[in-house]
Amino acid sequence: GDPAYPLMPWLMKPYTGALDSEKELFNYRLSKCRMVVECAFGRLKGRWRSLLTHSDLSETNIPIVIAACCVLHNLCESRGETFMAGWEVEANRLSADYAQPDTRAIRRAQRDALCIREALKASFQSEQGNL
């Protein structure tokens, strides 16, 4: 997420303020990852409009549904049903109509998220973390 989002175990955000080289590298690599994810979700929302609305699925089932959407998207692409650029534009317009979730529960998980971000920062410093 960008700096406006809360840091969560499942939502990394960049460091802010005075940054050392390790934090700058983390922010750079996180940004590269984020761009890939945003593009992928934009395409999925464009093709599968049900991803635009509130879902009553359990947290356990959401990753399964997203993975299924990815598989179906790839199947459509391999069968020649190309992705139309206008779909993503329309999906972005429609998604602005949906409210964001309540943030009270989010604040409680931020301590765990700090530990995860530090572990990712250390991993990004390693040779394997070089994207």
Side-chain angles (χ1 to χ4, degrees):
D2 64 29
Y5 286 91
L7 180 65
M8 299 295 293
W10 45 267
L11 178 66
M12 289 293 103
K13 64 184 246 179
Y15 288 98
T16 57
L19 305 178
D20 59 24
S21 61
E22 289 181 351
K23 290 178 180 178
E24 285 181 6
L25 179 62
F26 173 86
N27 285 358
Y28 171 74
R29 291 192 173 157
L30 182 67
S31 175
K32 285 176 65 174
C33 293
R34 184 175 156 220
M35 289 186 313
V36 171
V37 170
E38 285 179 356
C39 181
F41 270 99
R43 292 178 66 89
L44 288 177
K45 290 188 307 184
R47 192 180 290 269
W48 312 114
R49 301 292 173 93
S50 62
L51 295 176
L52 291 172
T53 62
H54 174 77
S55 174
D56 290 327
L57 294 171
S58 71
E59 290 178 12
T60 305
N61 290 331
I62 290 173
I64 296 167
V65 170
I66 292 172
C69 289
C70 291
V71 169
L72 291 171
H73 171 80
N74 290 341
L75 182 62
C76 290
E77 291 285 319
S78 71
R79 302 285 179 157
E81 185 182 311
T82 57
F83 182 83
M84 306 298 282
W87 293 350
E88 190 170 354
V89 172
E90 178 70 5
N92 288 335
R93 186 187 66 72
L94 292 171
S95 66
D97 294 339
Y98 295 99
Q100 294 298 309
D102 184 8
T103 60
R104 284 177 286 186
I106 291 173
R107 293 186 199 102
R108 286 180 242 136
Q110 289 186 331
R111 186 182 67 242
D112 293 339
L114 289 169
C115 294
I116 293 170
R117 183 168 67 177
E118 289 300 314
L120 283 170
K121 181 181 77 168
S123 174
F124 285 173
Q125 301 300 314
S126 72
E127 194 60 38
Q128 292 131 337
N130 188 8
L131 299 176

